[in-house]
Amino acid sequence: MELKINELDPKIFHEIVLNWFESHGRKTLPWQFDKTPYRVWVSEIMLQQTQVATVIPYFQRFMATFPDVESLAQAEEDAVLHLWTGLGYYSRARNLQRSAREIVARFSGIFPDNLADLTSLPGIGRSTAGAIAAIAFENKTPILDGNVKRVLVRLLGITAWPGEKNTEMVLWASAEKFMPDTRCGAYTQAMMDLGATVCVRGTPKCGACPLQNYCVAFQQGIAASLPKKKPAKKIPARALTLLVIQNANQVLLEKRPQTGVWAGLWSMPEMPAATSSAEIKTFCLERFNYRVSDIKFGTAFRHTFSHYHLDITPAFIILARRPAKIMEDGQQIWYNLEQPNSVGLPAPVKNLLKNLLRDIA
């Protein structure tokens, strides 16, 4: 006889999950030691759309520099973005610091423990707030991150795209239904681990799953095809030219506006795609009073954001003479390739600078 989800007692469900966690769950992640609400919060923000293996070294460096909410609140934005460089989705870092400052100002530095206060902070949505409240404070607050969503979609045999409003409501109701009254932190971590290590994307490891007998998708042989992907949408492409202006072992960088792509990060000056050498020379003379002797265009490469592709052509600029005065007005700096400045860099810019350093080494 096939077992259906509505026959599964929530108590049996979380007992199965917690028993599995005792034997197979991850218990040595760096944020699981010296656990504080602050450490849990930072880890949850870093883990948004990012793999655990990628996050671990970033988390460790971040904690070494900003061990508590007060130190993060008082830090310079550039210092925070510098430690975030390469982790992507930089709005997370800016919201993290904004939240730290609000926690100090609104809550006297005491981390809030309830959903209402947590979700009032920048960058903390319902699922992230639920994870913080459950793991840090043992509150009965369900989550619905990507891993948990995948487990529930397969368990319930949901064939609709989980991003649809009605489907998401069903998933939240199920997450609440199965949430235990006690050991909320362990259960929350267990569900995330189950999704990350067993009920994985693509081909799930159903043979190792403790919920196999209760899983509708497994019973119907459709586990590998779920969750259903978001309806395809063509991603547009944009293009630009980055001006790599060198002064010996230094490269000119500009601080980007606080809104828009790469907000608050440091990047090379940019011009439209297919800009000519003559246009670049005029731009450098009028903007910086730099005379250009030669320009070499590098190979274009593509950087993909969640909502569009960006095709970047680097233009390597040789100056007719070294600038007599180095610009240091707060919005423009000379970035030292051999002794890097502690500033936040977009991934494509960071890679360009690495390649330049390799060339001069």
Side-chain angles (χ1 to χ4, degrees):
M1 178 180 175
E2 290 185 350
L3 290 167
K4 302 299 183 183
I5 189 64
N6 57 8
E7 298 172 352
L8 180 55
D9 186 324
K11 292 183 179 179
I12 295 175
F13 179 88
H14 56 245
E15 182 178 339
I16 292 171
V17 171
L18 284 167
N19 285 341
W20 173 86
F21 180 68
E22 288 303 316
S23 301
H24 304 286
R26 296 178 292 189
K27 304 181 184 69
T28 58
L29 299 173
W31 44 87
Q32 293 174 322
F33 297 97
D34 301 320
K35 188 167 66 177
T36 65
Y38 173 75
R39 289 171 64 86
V40 170
W41 166 53
V42 172
S43 70
E44 288 299 319
I45 298 298
M46 286 187 169
L47 287 165
Q48 291 172 351
Q49 304 182 67
T50 310
Q51 297 292 321
V52 167
T54 301
V55 166
I56 287 175
Y58 281 91
F59 178 83
Q60 292 171 326
R61 288 193 293 267
F62 201 90
M63 285 297 128
T65 306
F66 307 121
D68 50 43
V69 71
E70 289 82 4
S71 59
L72 177 57
Q74 295 168 7
E76 294 291 334
E77 182 185 78
D78 278 336
V80 177
L81 292 174
H82 174 66
L83 288 178
W84 209 272
T85 295
L87 197 56
Y89 301 99
Y90 292 92
S91 60
R92 294 181 298 172
R94 289 188 292 273
N95 283 333
L96 200 71
Q97 187 172 43
R98 287 173 57 202
S99 291
R101 289 171 175 169
E102 288 196 25
I103 291 169
V104 171
R106 291 170 51 197
F107 303 105
S108 301
I110 300 173
F111 211 94
D113 63 357
N114 61 85
L115 290 182
D117 287 337
L118 285 168
T119 54
S120 74
L121 296 170
I124 300 182
R126 180 180 178 183
S127 186
T128 300
I132 295 168
I135 297 172
F137 300 105
E138 290 295 334
N139 290 350
K140 187 179 180 179
T141 49
I143 73 166
L144 198 61
D145 74 342
N147 288 318
V148 174
K149 187 178 293 186
R150 190 163 54 253
V151 171
L152 293 178
V153 162
R154 287 170 172 162
L155 188 73
L156 297 165
I158 294 175
T159 55
W161 175 51
E164 293 178 355
K165 185 175 181 181
N166 290 339
T167 304
E168 194 165 26
M169 289 174 63
V170 170
L171 290 169
W172 271 113
S174 299
E176 291 175 355
K177 172 184 176 182
F178 291 124
M179 191 78 190
D181 294 322
T182 60
R183 299 191 66 195
C184 298
Y187 170 81
T188 298
Q189 186 64 56
M191 286 294 287
M192 291 191 290
D193 286 359
L194 190 61
T197 63
V198 176
C199 196
V200 296
R201 293 184 184 129
T203 305
K205 303 173 184 177
C206 296
C209 181
L211 298 171
Q212 178 188 119
N213 293 333
Y214 302 94
C215 180
V216 174
F218 174 73
Q219 292 170 6
Q220 296 180 356
I222 59 173
S225 65
L226 299 180
K228 186 176 180 180
K229 293 182 179 180
K230 183 178 181 179
K233 181 180 179 182
K234 187 176 180 180
I235 300 178
R238 303 176 189 175
L240 58 78
T241 300
L242 283 182
L243 307 186
V244 186
I245 303 173
Q246 284 187 257
N247 174 33
N249 66 339
Q250 299 176 316
V251 176
L252 182 67
L253 298 183
E254 295 185 319
K255 190 174 181 67
R256 296 184 63 85
Q258 291 298 320
T259 57
V261 66
W262 296 334
L265 300 181
W266 292 83
S267 179
M268 290 95 170
E270 66 180 58
M271 294 187 73
T275 298
S276 69
S277 295
E279 289 171 321
I280 292 176
K281 289 181 179 181
T282 300
F283 176 85
C284 289
L285 184 61
E286 293 179 349
R287 178 83 182 277
F288 307 115
N289 196 27
Y290 293 165
R291 293 190 179 276
V292 176
S293 64
D294 193 18
I295 299 171
K296 295 180 180 178
F297 290 95
T299 303
F301 61 94
R302 172 166 284 188
H303 180 74
T304 298
F305 296 94
S306 58
H307 52 297
Y308 71 93
H309 300 297
L310 182 63
D311 294 323
I312 300 170
T313 299
F316 300 96
I317 296 168
I318 300 173
L319 300 178
R321 62 177 182 274
R322 292 187 181 183
K325 184 178 180 181
I326 291 181
M327 229 175 298
E328 293 286 354
D329 63 357
Q331 297 303 306
Q332 295 167 331
I333 61 170
W334 286 105
Y335 182 91
N336 192 314
L337 294 170
E338 296 175 313
Q339 296 178 332
N341 306 54
S342 296
V343 296
L345 303 169
V349 173
K350 182 180 180 181
N351 290 335
L352 277 173
L353 294 170
K354 277 186 177 179
N355 291 338
L356 286 172
L357 177 60
R358 182 191 59 202
D359 291 343
I360 67 173

mmCIF file with all atom_site columns, all heavy atoms in Angstrom, residues 233-238 302-311:
data_model
loop_
_atom_site.group_PDB
_atom_site.id
_atom_site.type_symbol
_atom_site.label_atom_id
_atom_site.label_alt_id
_atom_site.label_comp_id
_atom_site.label_asym_id
_atom_site.label_entity_id
_atom_site.label_seq_id
_atom_site.pdbx_PDB_ins_code
_atom_site.Cartn_x
_atom_site.Cartn_y
_atom_site.Cartn_z
_atom_site.occupancy
_atom_site.B_iso_or_equiv
_atom_site.pdbx_formal_charge
_atom_site.auth_seq_id
_atom_site.auth_comp_id
_atom_site.auth_asym_id
_atom_site.auth_atom_id
_atom_site.pdbx_PDB_model_num
ATOM 1   N N   . LYS A 1 233 ? 12.795 32.274 -19.935 1.00 0.00 ? 233 LYS A N   1
ATOM 2   C CA  . LYS A 1 233 ? 12.687 33.668 -20.353 1.00 0.00 ? 233 LYS A CA  1
ATOM 3   C C   . LYS A 1 233 ? 14.035 34.078 -20.922 1.00 0.00 ? 233 LYS A C   1
ATOM 4   O O   . LYS A 1 233 ? 15.073 33.867 -20.297 1.00 0.00 ? 233 LYS A O   1
ATOM 5   C CB  . LYS A 1 233 ? 12.323 34.561 -19.155 1.00 0.00 ? 233 LYS A CB  1
ATOM 6   C CG  . LYS A 1 233 ? 12.160 36.028 -19.509 1.00 0.00 ? 233 LYS A CG  1
ATOM 7   C CD  . LYS A 1 233 ? 11.798 36.826 -18.264 1.00 0.00 ? 233 LYS A CD  1
ATOM 8   C CE  . LYS A 1 233 ? 11.664 38.303 -18.583 1.00 0.00 ? 233 LYS A CE  1
ATOM 9   N NZ  . LYS A 1 233 ? 11.343 39.100 -17.352 1.00 0.00 ? 233 LYS A NZ  1
ATOM 10  N N   . LYS A 1 234 ? 14.018 34.643 -22.108 1.00 0.00 ? 234 LYS A N   1
ATOM 11  C CA  . LYS A 1 234 ? 15.265 35.022 -22.749 1.00 0.00 ? 234 LYS A CA  1
ATOM 12  C C   . LYS A 1 234 ? 15.951 36.121 -21.943 1.00 0.00 ? 234 LYS A C   1
ATOM 13  O O   . LYS A 1 234 ? 15.346 37.127 -21.591 1.00 0.00 ? 234 LYS A O   1
ATOM 14  C CB  . LYS A 1 234 ? 15.010 35.503 -24.172 1.00 0.00 ? 234 LYS A CB  1
ATOM 15  C CG  . LYS A 1 234 ? 16.288 35.766 -24.955 1.00 0.00 ? 234 LYS A CG  1
ATOM 16  C CD  . LYS A 1 234 ? 16.008 36.156 -26.389 1.00 0.00 ? 234 LYS A CD  1
ATOM 17  C CE  . LYS A 1 234 ? 17.306 36.411 -27.143 1.00 0.00 ? 234 LYS A CE  1
ATOM 18  N NZ  . LYS A 1 234 ? 17.067 36.790 -28.562 1.00 0.00 ? 234 LYS A NZ  1
ATOM 19  N N   . ILE A 1 235 ? 17.231 35.891 -21.644 1.00 0.00 ? 235 ILE A N   1
ATOM 20  C CA  . ILE A 1 235 ? 17.999 36.879 -20.884 1.00 0.00 ? 235 ILE A CA  1
ATOM 21  C C   . ILE A 1 235 ? 18.630 37.865 -21.856 1.00 0.00 ? 235 ILE A C   1
ATOM 22  O O   . ILE A 1 235 ? 19.362 37.468 -22.768 1.00 0.00 ? 235 ILE A O   1
ATOM 23  C CB  . ILE A 1 235 ? 19.089 36.194 -20.050 1.00 0.00 ? 235 ILE A CB  1
ATOM 24  C CG1 . ILE A 1 235 ? 18.473 35.201 -19.066 1.00 0.00 ? 235 ILE A CG1 1
ATOM 25  C CG2 . ILE A 1 235 ? 19.923 37.230 -19.300 1.00 0.00 ? 235 ILE A CG2 1
ATOM 26  C CD1 . ILE A 1 235 ? 19.484 34.445 -18.234 1.00 0.00 ? 235 ILE A CD1 1
ATOM 27  N N   . PRO A 1 236 ? 18.371 39.155 -21.677 1.00 0.00 ? 236 PRO A N   1
ATOM 28  C CA  . PRO A 1 236 ? 18.961 40.139 -22.593 1.00 0.00 ? 236 PRO A CA  1
ATOM 29  C C   . PRO A 1 236 ? 20.461 40.288 -22.358 1.00 0.00 ? 236 PRO A C   1
ATOM 30  O O   . PRO A 1 236 ? 20.983 39.903 -21.313 1.00 0.00 ? 236 PRO A O   1
ATOM 31  C CB  . PRO A 1 236 ? 18.219 41.433 -22.241 1.00 0.00 ? 236 PRO A CB  1
ATOM 32  C CG  . PRO A 1 236 ? 17.798 41.244 -20.817 1.00 0.00 ? 236 PRO A CG  1
ATOM 33  C CD  . PRO A 1 236 ? 17.512 39.781 -20.672 1.00 0.00 ? 236 PRO A CD  1
ATOM 34  N N   . ALA A 1 237 ? 21.140 40.851 -23.337 1.00 0.00 ? 237 ALA A N   1
ATOM 35  C CA  . ALA A 1 237 ? 22.577 41.080 -23.232 1.00 0.00 ? 237 ALA A CA  1
ATOM 36  C C   . ALA A 1 237 ? 22.883 42.558 -23.401 1.00 0.00 ? 237 ALA A C   1
ATOM 37  O O   . ALA A 1 237 ? 22.247 43.250 -24.194 1.00 0.00 ? 237 ALA A O   1
ATOM 38  C CB  . ALA A 1 237 ? 23.321 40.270 -24.289 1.00 0.00 ? 237 ALA A CB  1
ATOM 39  N N   . ARG A 1 238 ? 23.825 43.046 -22.598 1.00 0.00 ? 238 ARG A N   1
ATOM 40  C CA  . ARG A 1 238 ? 24.307 44.414 -22.709 1.00 0.00 ? 238 ARG A CA  1
ATOM 41  C C   . ARG A 1 238 ? 25.821 44.361 -22.935 1.00 0.00 ? 238 ARG A C   1
ATOM 42  O O   . ARG A 1 238 ? 26.440 43.325 -22.717 1.00 0.00 ? 238 ARG A O   1
ATOM 43  C CB  . ARG A 1 238 ? 23.990 45.211 -21.436 1.00 0.00 ? 238 ARG A CB  1
ATOM 44  C CG  . ARG A 1 238 ? 22.508 45.250 -21.081 1.00 0.00 ? 238 ARG A CG  1
ATOM 45  C CD  . ARG A 1 238 ? 22.281 45.973 -19.764 1.00 0.00 ? 238 ARG A CD  1
ATOM 46  N NE  . ARG A 1 238 ? 20.902 45.841 -19.312 1.00 0.00 ? 238 ARG A NE  1
ATOM 47  C CZ  . ARG A 1 238 ? 20.451 46.294 -18.140 1.00 0.00 ? 238 ARG A CZ  1
ATOM 48  N NH1 . ARG A 1 238 ? 21.287 46.904 -17.309 1.00 0.00 ? 238 ARG A NH1 1
ATOM 49  N NH2 . ARG A 1 238 ? 19.189 46.131 -17.799 1.00 0.00 ? 238 ARG A NH2 1
ATOM 50  N N   . ARG A 1 302 ? 32.209 37.537 -21.248 1.00 0.00 ? 302 ARG A N   1
ATOM 51  C CA  . ARG A 1 302 ? 30.835 37.696 -20.758 1.00 0.00 ? 302 ARG A CA  1
ATOM 52  C C   . ARG A 1 302 ? 30.752 37.433 -19.265 1.00 0.00 ? 302 ARG A C   1
ATOM 53  O O   . ARG A 1 302 ? 31.300 36.445 -18.758 1.00 0.00 ? 302 ARG A O   1
ATOM 54  C CB  . ARG A 1 302 ? 29.891 36.761 -21.514 1.00 0.00 ? 302 ARG A CB  1
ATOM 55  C CG  . ARG A 1 302 ? 28.467 36.704 -20.951 1.00 0.00 ? 302 ARG A CG  1
ATOM 56  C CD  . ARG A 1 302 ? 27.501 36.046 -21.912 1.00 0.00 ? 302 ARG A CD  1
ATOM 57  N NE  . ARG A 1 302 ? 27.156 36.962 -23.007 1.00 0.00 ? 302 ARG A NE  1
ATOM 58  C CZ  . ARG A 1 302 ? 26.205 36.712 -23.911 1.00 0.00 ? 302 ARG A CZ  1
ATOM 59  N NH1 . ARG A 1 302 ? 25.523 35.579 -23.865 1.00 0.00 ? 302 ARG A NH1 1
ATOM 60  N NH2 . ARG A 1 302 ? 25.949 37.600 -24.867 1.00 0.00 ? 302 ARG A NH2 1
ATOM 61  N N   . HIS A 1 303 ? 30.049 38.323 -18.569 1.00 0.00 ? 303 HIS A N   1
ATOM 62  C CA  . HIS A 1 303 ? 29.719 38.127 -17.157 1.00 0.00 ? 303 HIS A CA  1
ATOM 63  C C   . HIS A 1 303 ? 28.199 38.095 -17.057 1.00 0.00 ? 303 HIS A C   1
ATOM 64  O O   . HIS A 1 303 ? 27.522 38.989 -17.571 1.00 0.00 ? 303 HIS A O   1
ATOM 65  C CB  . HIS A 1 303 ? 30.284 39.268 -16.302 1.00 0.00 ? 303 HIS A CB  1
ATOM 66  C CG  . HIS A 1 303 ? 29.979 39.134 -14.842 1.00 0.00 ? 303 HIS A CG  1
ATOM 67  N ND1 . HIS A 1 303 ? 30.621 38.219 -14.032 1.00 0.00 ? 303 HIS A ND1 1
ATOM 68  C CD2 . HIS A 1 303 ? 29.086 39.773 -14.045 1.00 0.00 ? 303 HIS A CD2 1
ATOM 69  C CE1 . HIS A 1 303 ? 30.147 38.316 -12.802 1.00 0.00 ? 303 HIS A CE1 1
ATOM 70  N NE2 . HIS A 1 303 ? 29.214 39.243 -12.785 1.00 0.00 ? 303 HIS A NE2 1
ATOM 71  N N   . THR A 1 304 ? 27.669 37.065 -16.418 1.00 0.00 ? 304 THR A N   1
ATOM 72  C CA  . THR A 1 304 ? 26.217 36.892 -16.371 1.00 0.00 ? 304 THR A CA  1
ATOM 73  C C   . THR A 1 304 ? 25.658 37.212 -14.993 1.00 0.00 ? 304 THR A C   1
ATOM 74  O O   . THR A 1 304 ? 26.100 36.668 -13.980 1.00 0.00 ? 304 THR A O   1
ATOM 75  C CB  . THR A 1 304 ? 25.834 35.454 -16.770 1.00 0.00 ? 304 THR A CB  1
ATOM 76  O OG1 . THR A 1 304 ? 26.265 35.226 -18.118 1.00 0.00 ? 304 THR A OG1 1
ATOM 77  C CG2 . THR A 1 304 ? 24.334 35.254 -16.697 1.00 0.00 ? 304 THR A CG2 1
ATOM 78  N N   . PHE A 1 305 ? 24.688 38.105 -14.966 1.00 0.00 ? 305 PHE A N   1
ATOM 79  C CA  . PHE A 1 305 ? 23.921 38.404 -13.763 1.00 0.00 ? 305 PHE A CA  1
ATOM 80  C C   . PHE A 1 305 ? 22.652 37.543 -13.794 1.00 0.00 ? 305 PHE A C   1
ATOM 81  O O   . PHE A 1 305 ? 22.413 36.814 -14.754 1.00 0.00 ? 305 PHE A O   1
ATOM 82  C CB  . PHE A 1 305 ? 23.542 39.889 -13.729 1.00 0.00 ? 305 PHE A CB  1
ATOM 83  C CG  . PHE A 1 305 ? 24.721 40.820 -13.643 1.00 0.00 ? 305 PHE A CG  1
ATOM 84  C CD1 . PHE A 1 305 ? 25.285 41.362 -14.792 1.00 0.00 ? 305 PHE A CD1 1
ATOM 85  C CD2 . PHE A 1 305 ? 25.273 41.154 -12.414 1.00 0.00 ? 305 PHE A CD2 1
ATOM 86  C CE1 . PHE A 1 305 ? 26.362 42.221 -14.728 1.00 0.00 ? 305 PHE A CE1 1
ATOM 87  C CE2 . PHE A 1 305 ? 26.367 42.007 -12.339 1.00 0.00 ? 305 PHE A CE2 1
ATOM 88  C CZ  . PHE A 1 305 ? 26.910 42.539 -13.495 1.00 0.00 ? 305 PHE A CZ  1
ATOM 89  N N   . SER A 1 306 ? 21.850 37.664 -12.752 1.00 0.00 ? 306 SER A N   1
ATOM 90  C CA  . SER A 1 306 ? 20.630 36.856 -12.704 1.00 0.00 ? 306 SER A CA  1
ATOM 91  C C   . SER A 1 306 ? 19.636 37.274 -13.781 1.00 0.00 ? 306 SER A C   1
ATOM 92  O O   . SER A 1 306 ? 18.826 36.470 -14.236 1.00 0.00 ? 306 SER A O   1
ATOM 93  C CB  . SER A 1 306 ? 19.970 36.970 -11.322 1.00 0.00 ? 306 SER A CB  1
ATOM 94  O OG  . SER A 1 306 ? 19.667 38.321 -11.031 1.00 0.00 ? 306 SER A OG  1
ATOM 95  N N   . HIS A 1 307 ? 19.700 38.531 -14.214 1.00 0.00 ? 307 HIS A N   1
ATOM 96  C CA  . HIS A 1 307 ? 18.679 39.021 -15.137 1.00 0.00 ? 307 HIS A CA  1
ATOM 97  C C   . HIS A 1 307 ? 19.218 39.504 -16.478 1.00 0.00 ? 307 HIS A C   1
ATOM 98  O O   . HIS A 1 307 ? 18.441 39.902 -17.342 1.00 0.00 ? 307 HIS A O   1
ATOM 99  C CB  . HIS A 1 307 ? 17.880 40.148 -14.476 1.00 0.00 ? 307 HIS A CB  1
ATOM 100 C CG  . HIS A 1 307 ? 18.716 41.253 -13.908 1.00 0.00 ? 307 HIS A CG  1
ATOM 101 N ND1 . HIS A 1 307 ? 19.608 41.044 -12.880 1.00 0.00 ? 307 HIS A ND1 1
ATOM 102 C CD2 . HIS A 1 307 ? 18.822 42.559 -14.228 1.00 0.00 ? 307 HIS A CD2 1
ATOM 103 C CE1 . HIS A 1 307 ? 20.207 42.186 -12.578 1.00 0.00 ? 307 HIS A CE1 1
ATOM 104 N NE2 . HIS A 1 307 ? 19.760 43.110 -13.402 1.00 0.00 ? 307 HIS A NE2 1
ATOM 105 N N   . TYR A 1 308 ? 20.523 39.482 -16.690 1.00 0.00 ? 308 TYR A N   1
ATOM 106 C CA  . TYR A 1 308 ? 21.059 39.811 -18.012 1.00 0.00 ? 308 TYR A CA  1
ATOM 107 C C   . TYR A 1 308 ? 22.526 39.416 -18.125 1.00 0.00 ? 308 TYR A C   1
ATOM 108 O O   . TYR A 1 308 ? 23.210 39.188 -17.128 1.00 0.00 ? 308 TYR A O   1
ATOM 109 C CB  . TYR A 1 308 ? 20.869 41.300 -18.339 1.00 0.00 ? 308 TYR A CB  1
ATOM 110 C CG  . TYR A 1 308 ? 21.745 42.266 -17.561 1.00 0.00 ? 308 TYR A CG  1
ATOM 111 C CD1 . TYR A 1 308 ? 22.979 42.694 -18.067 1.00 0.00 ? 308 TYR A CD1 1
ATOM 112 C CD2 . TYR A 1 308 ? 21.338 42.792 -16.343 1.00 0.00 ? 308 TYR A CD2 1
ATOM 113 C CE1 . TYR A 1 308 ? 23.769 43.597 -17.377 1.00 0.00 ? 308 TYR A CE1 1
ATOM 114 C CE2 . TYR A 1 308 ? 22.120 43.687 -15.639 1.00 0.00 ? 308 TYR A CE2 1
ATOM 115 C CZ  . TYR A 1 308 ? 23.339 44.083 -16.163 1.00 0.00 ? 308 TYR A CZ  1
ATOM 116 O OH  . TYR A 1 308 ? 24.126 44.964 -15.458 1.00 0.00 ? 308 TYR A OH  1
ATOM 117 N N   . HIS A 1 309 ? 22.985 39.329 -19.396 1.00 0.00 ? 309 HIS A N   1
ATOM 118 C CA  . HIS A 1 309 ? 24.391 39.078 -19.680 1.00 0.00 ? 309 HIS A CA  1
ATOM 119 C C   . HIS A 1 309 ? 25.083 40.424 -19.909 1.00 0.00 ? 309 HIS A C   1
ATOM 120 O O   . HIS A 1 309 ? 24.494 41.339 -20.478 1.00 0.00 ? 309 HIS A O   1
ATOM 121 C CB  . HIS A 1 309 ? 24.553 38.239 -20.946 1.00 0.00 ? 309 HIS A CB  1
ATOM 122 C CG  . HIS A 1 309 ? 23.908 36.892 -20.893 1.00 0.00 ? 309 HIS A CG  1
ATOM 123 N ND1 . HIS A 1 309 ? 24.294 35.913 -20.002 1.00 0.00 ? 309 HIS A ND1 1
ATOM 124 C CD2 . HIS A 1 309 ? 22.898 36.348 -21.631 1.00 0.00 ? 309 HIS A CD2 1
ATOM 125 C CE1 . HIS A 1 309 ? 23.560 34.832 -20.193 1.00 0.00 ? 309 HIS A CE1 1
ATOM 126 N NE2 . HIS A 1 309 ? 22.707 35.072 -21.168 1.00 0.00 ? 309 HIS A NE2 1
ATOM 127 N N   . LEU A 1 310 ? 26.331 40.527 -19.475 1.00 0.00 ? 310 LEU A N   1
ATOM 128 C CA  . LEU A 1 310 ? 27.117 41.725 -19.721 1.00 0.00 ? 310 LEU A CA  1
ATOM 129 C C   . LEU A 1 310 ? 28.372 41.340 -20.482 1.00 0.00 ? 310 LEU A C   1
ATOM 130 O O   . LEU A 1 310 ? 29.210 40.591 -19.980 1.00 0.00 ? 310 LEU A O   1
ATOM 131 C CB  . LEU A 1 310 ? 27.489 42.411 -18.399 1.00 0.00 ? 310 LEU A CB  1
ATOM 132 C CG  . LEU A 1 310 ? 28.269 43.719 -18.523 1.00 0.00 ? 310 LEU A CG  1
ATOM 133 C CD1 . LEU A 1 310 ? 27.434 44.778 -19.252 1.00 0.00 ? 310 LEU A CD1 1
ATOM 134 C CD2 . LEU A 1 310 ? 28.678 44.233 -17.142 1.00 0.00 ? 310 LEU A CD2 1
ATOM 135 N N   . ASP A 1 311 ? 28.487 41.829 -21.707 1.00 0.00 ? 311 ASP A N   1
ATOM 136 C CA  . ASP A 1 311 ? 29.668 41.562 -22.532 1.00 0.00 ? 311 ASP A CA  1
ATOM 137 C C   . ASP A 1 311 ? 30.658 42.719 -22.353 1.00 0.00 ? 311 ASP A C   1
ATOM 138 O O   . ASP A 1 311 ? 30.332 43.875 -22.641 1.00 0.00 ? 311 ASP A O   1
ATOM 139 C CB  . ASP A 1 311 ? 29.262 41.424 -23.995 1.00 0.00 ? 311 ASP A CB  1
ATOM 140 C CG  . ASP A 1 311 ? 28.402 40.195 -24.232 1.00 0.00 ? 311 ASP A CG  1
ATOM 141 O OD1 . ASP A 1 311 ? 28.672 39.164 -23.586 1.00 0.00 ? 311 ASP A OD1 1
ATOM 142 O OD2 . ASP A 1 311 ? 27.444 40.273 -25.030 1.00 0.00 ? 311 ASP A OD2 1
#
